[in-house]
Amino acid sequence: MTWRATVLTLFPEMFPGPLGVSLAGRALAGGLWGLEARDIRDSATDRHRSVDDTPAGGGPGMVLRADVLAAAIDAADATSERPRLVMSPRGRPLTQARVAELAAGPGPLIVCGRFEGIDQRVIDARGLEEVSIGDYVLSGGEIAAMALIDACVRLLPGVMGRLESSTEESFSAGLLEYPQYTRPQLFEDRPIPEVLTSGDHAKVAAWRQAEAEALTRARRPDLWALRPAQITGPKSESRKTPKNKTDG
């Protein structure tokens, strides 16, 4: 079965957008994945196609109504096997591990919020998983949904040119990716690191691992803290180290 993303949005004309070009676009045109953008307003019941109302308890803005959005979800005919997501800054952060899980399944149904938010009752009643792509607020969930879909599509079989491409990237092993270089050999007095042109694959691998670890420690200490304790030397050397000796 073809992996398929169903997006519920007030602006279906935003899709496929960036998903229709480059890697994802070629895969979409080639039938390696499918995309369906559905207008939430099609499930409204009044002549004005109203989808929102004022927030209970007062406050600024408008809130997406539970009855209209529930009807839109039901009309999309998402089966119980498909994940139901809603893009939200209060959701759990999207990780590469979660992306891999979503890519391995049939494809999600994604709700794109607007206004001040979504009536909590439809989130609970339809089992929507709240997902965040970062600690910032967008005008709506469409751009966030595109980011999630793109991250999934590039992991689908046949989409990327080399299988290794997706296994050596940032986050694939809990680390940021090592620096990349290509020709020319010398750029503004800056050479390619000599180890990368040595032809010694073991040394190249060791250099890349060390660089990835150093970058992760410096830029993402939160990711580094989640990794298992690293053994930096032979056990025999560790036993010889005095207890009061510290690094630095």
Side-chain angles (χ1 to χ4, degrees):
M1 182 175 64
T2 301
W3 191 91
R4 177 171 58 94
T6 300
V7 181
L8 299 184
T9 172
L10 296 176
F11 301 97
E13 63 272 19
M14 292 180 68
F15 294 84
L19 297 172
V21 299
S22 190
L23 196 70
R26 290 194 297 270
L28 181 61
L32 297 180
W33 69 288
L35 175 65
E36 178 186 25
R38 300 174 64 100
D39 194 341
I40 296 172
R41 293 188 188 277
D42 290 343
S43 296
T45 56
D46 66 332
R47 64 188 181 92
H48 298 294
R49 304 179 78 205
S50 303
V51 298
D52 59 343
D53 210 329
T54 55
M62 304 291 279
V63 177
L64 272 173
R65 290 173 44 159
D67 55 346
V68 176
L69 186 52
I73 293 171
D74 295 343
D77 195 29
T79 65
S80 58
E81 290 78 19
R82 297 186 71 193
R84 294 178 175 182
L85 315 178
V86 57
M87 308 311 298
S88 168
R90 74 178 192 183
R92 292 181 179 176
L94 182 65
T95 64
Q96 189 66 19
R98 183 61 179 133
V99 166
E101 291 175 353
L102 292 170
L109 178 143
I110 307 174
V111 174
C112 299
R114 282 274 162 175
F115 315 122
E116 288 300 309
I118 295 172
D119 190 310
Q120 183 64 40
R121 292 172 296 176
V122 71
I123 295 176
D124 298 335
R126 294 299 183 270
L128 301 182
E129 174 189 344
E130 297 184 72
V131 179
S132 170
I133 63 166
D135 295 337
Y136 45 85
V137 179
L138 300 171
S139 299
E142 288 79 12
I143 293 176
M146 290 178 190
L148 184 150
I149 294 170
D150 181 80
C152 291
V153 166
R154 52 198 313 281
L155 298 184
L156 299 178
V159 173
M160 297 192 70
R162 294 177 58 222
L163 180 61
E164 293 88 348
S165 296
S166 63
T167 60
E168 296 181 0
E169 297 174 325
S170 290
F171 313 115
S172 59
L175 295 171
L176 299 183
E177 189 179 10
Y178 48 80
Q180 298 280 9
Y181 299 87
T182 189
R183 292 176 294 195
Q185 172 67 32
L186 190 66
F187 169 70
E188 296 183 351
D189 296 326
R190 300 169 186 265
I192 295 175
E194 186 176 350
V195 65
L196 297 181
T197 58
S198 67
D200 189 322
H201 299 300
K203 287 183 179 180
V204 169
W207 180 89
R208 287 175 170 172
Q209 179 70 19
E211 289 292 314
E213 292 178 359
L215 281 171
T216 305
R217 284 196 302 267
R219 300 181 183 180
R220 292 295 302 274
D222 56 321
L223 286 178
W224 184 256
L226 296 176
R227 290 177 57 79
Q230 303 294 310
I231 299 176
T232 57
K235 293 183 179 180
S236 58
E237 292 181 7
S238 299
R239 287 196 294 268
K240 295 177 182 179
T241 302
K243 291 183 179 180
N244 62 349
K245 183 178 180 180
T246 58
D247 294 333

